[in-house]
């Protein structure tokens, strides 16, 4: 039984690692794409109405300015979201859907998003 449980845990960990490796976020001049073995989403920059940066601490979602330097956040991963909804907030839902994409923070990714979306998308 112990061997079976160990094997099951190993398979789950390997599956999660493989899924992360097979999930790709692409940003180009046309828009942003999310592709995983289970779902594919493409949002054009014209569709994106809301974009922002947030982190989760103790189950609470906190939106922050993209350029914020918060000393105690060095162990808390930031995330980026883009959505086609004008009133979208990551507090409501953090799943990938046909109207929103969430992914890990990257300065280069945020620079591309900022260049292609209006300031109104970031202020929402």
């Amino acid at each position: 039984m112990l061997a079976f449980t160990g094997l099951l845990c190993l398979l789950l960990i390997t599956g999660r690692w493989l899924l992360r490796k097979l999930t790709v976020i692409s940003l180009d001049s046309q828009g942003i794409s999310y592709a995983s073995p289970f779902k594919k989403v493409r949002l054009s920059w014209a569709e994106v109405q809301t974009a922002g940066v947030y982190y989760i601490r103790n189950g609470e979602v906190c939106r922050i300015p993209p350029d914020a330097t918060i000393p105690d956040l060095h162990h808390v991963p930031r995330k980026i979201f883009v959505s086609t909804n004008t009133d979208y907030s990551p507090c409501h839902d953090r799943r990938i859907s046909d109207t929103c994409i969430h992914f890990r923070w990257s300065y280069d990714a945020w620079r591309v998003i900022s260049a292609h979306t209006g300031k109104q998308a970031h202020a929402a």
Side-chain angles (χ1 to χ4, degrees), residues 4-5 15 18-19 22 52-53 61 64 85 90 103-104 106 112 123:
F4 176 74
T5 304
L18 186 59
L19 181 60
L22 295 175
V53 179
V61 175
I64 56 173
N85 298 330
F103 57 98
R104 288 183 181 197
S106 162
V112 172

Side-chain angles (χ1 to χ4, degrees), residues 31-49:
I32 182 170
S33 299
Y34 170 90
S36 79
F38 306 109
K39 187 177 213 75
K40 292 183 183 350
V41 177
R42 173 86 177 154
L43 303 177
S44 73
W45 294 124
E47 294 176 299
V48 174
Q49 298 295 314

Side-chain angles (χ1 to χ4, degrees), residues 56-105:
I56 301 170
R57 180 178 279 166
N58 299 328
E60 183 180 346
V61 175
C62 304
R63 285 191 61 178
I64 56 173
D67 56 353
T69 53
I70 303 171
D72 63 341
L73 279 183
H74 63 282
H75 292 294
V76 179
R78 297 180 192 194
K79 299 186 183 295
I80 296 174
F81 72 90
V82 294
S83 175
T84 59
N85 298 330
T86 56
D87 60 347
Y88 183 80
S89 173
C91 296
H92 302 136
D93 189 13
R94 294 184 301 271
R95 289 179 288 181
I96 306 297
S97 72
D98 293 336
T99 61
C100 66
I101 298 173
H102 296 254
F103 57 98
R104 288 183 181 197
W105 165 260

Side-chain angles (χ1 to χ4, degrees), residues 7-25:
L7 181 61
L8 184 60
C9 288
L10 182 62
L11 285 173
L12 289 173
I13 291 169
T14 303
R16 185 173 177 170
W17 175 83
L18 186 59
L19 181 60
R20 287 183 67 139
K21 291 295 181 188
L22 295 175
T23 300
V24 178
I25 301 286

